[in-house]
Amino acid sequence: MSEFLELEAQDGIRMTWNVIPGTKQDAANCVVPVSAIYTPLKPNPAIPVLPYGPLRCRMCRSILNPFSIVDYVAKIWVCPFCFQRNHFPQHYSISESNLPAELFPQYTTVEYMSTAETGPVVPPVFLFVVDTCMIEEEIGYLKSALAQAIELLPD
Ligand SMILES: [Zn+2]
């Protein structure tokens, strides 16, 4: 149990099993659905900043992370979200003893420096996930609160 709490304190995320299935078969065998509760903007002064851009899955655009399965011989990583096999770029000199930082098990949350190759810096995205399973009166309050929150957002 303490492992779950430690991971939540580190990343602001709580998952059903703290594991993402590594293969389609593993995903199909899951009795409990994979889910996560994420606390965005959780203060964490110790987040490592990587001096290069993220390596993205060519299918779903997710980012290389410690949950990815890596084939060190073929220099391929498998996306844990869509199971797409992706090649590492030529400049990644990767082996089991020489991992890029984003594969370190303790680096589940990292920041990347924006570079010319990663493209221009995009403005922040604000995402509201709203549970609408409530009585109609509360929906009205919710609409009002969301409208006020949207007015506070920058252009
Ligand atoms: Zn993917």
Side-chain angles (χ1 to χ4, degrees), residues 72-150:
Y72 298 100
V73 176
K75 308 248 186 255
I76 288 175
W77 63 280
V78 179
C79 173
F81 298 103
C82 73
F83 307 108
Q84 174 68 41
R85 296 166 56 89
N86 299 279
H87 289 275
F88 284 99
Q90 294 291 334
H91 65 276
Y92 266 69
S93 59
I94 185 170
S95 68
E96 289 187 52
S97 59
N98 185 24
L99 293 176
E102 57 265 55
L103 289 177
F104 293 174
Q106 70 274 22
Y107 280 15
T108 49
T109 298
V110 298
E111 290 188 3
Y112 293 93
M113 284 186 143
S114 181
T115 63
E117 64 189 43
T118 60
V121 176
V122 295
V125 173
F126 296 90
L127 173 68
F128 295 92
V129 179
V130 179
D131 181 358
T132 58
C133 297
M134 59 184 75
I135 61 174
E136 192 170 332
E137 182 182 357
E138 289 178 343
I139 289 281
Y141 294 131
L142 176 65
K143 285 180 182 175
S144 174
L146 286 174
Q148 289 176 2
I150 290 171

Side-chain angles (χ1 to χ4, degrees), residues 7 10-11 44 46-52 63-67 99-112:
L7 290 172
Q10 176 183 324
D11 298 322
N44 185 349
I47 290 179
V49 179
L50 306 182
Y52 49 84
I63 295 173
L64 177 67
N65 62 73
F67 299 103
L99 293 176
E102 57 265 55
L103 289 177
F104 293 174
Q106 70 274 22
Y107 280 15
T108 49
T109 298
V110 298
E111 290 188 3
Y112 293 93

Side-chain angles (χ1 to χ4, degrees), residues 24-89:
K24 288 181 182 177
Q25 188 61 49
D26 287 347
N29 290 342
C30 284
V31 175
V32 177
V34 176
S35 61
I37 299 172
Y38 180 59
T39 306
L41 305 177
K42 181 181 180 309
N44 185 349
I47 290 179
V49 179
L50 306 182
Y52 49 84
L55 191 56
R56 293 186 177 275
C57 171
R58 62 189 165 104
M59 179 68 76
C60 72
R61 308 293 294 155
S62 70
I63 295 173
L64 177 67
N65 62 73
F67 299 103
S68 303
I69 295 174
V70 176
D71 181 337
Y72 298 100
V73 176
K75 308 248 186 255
I76 288 175
W77 63 280
V78 179
C79 173
F81 298 103
C82 73
F83 307 108
Q84 174 68 41
R85 296 166 56 89
N86 299 279
H87 289 275
F88 284 99

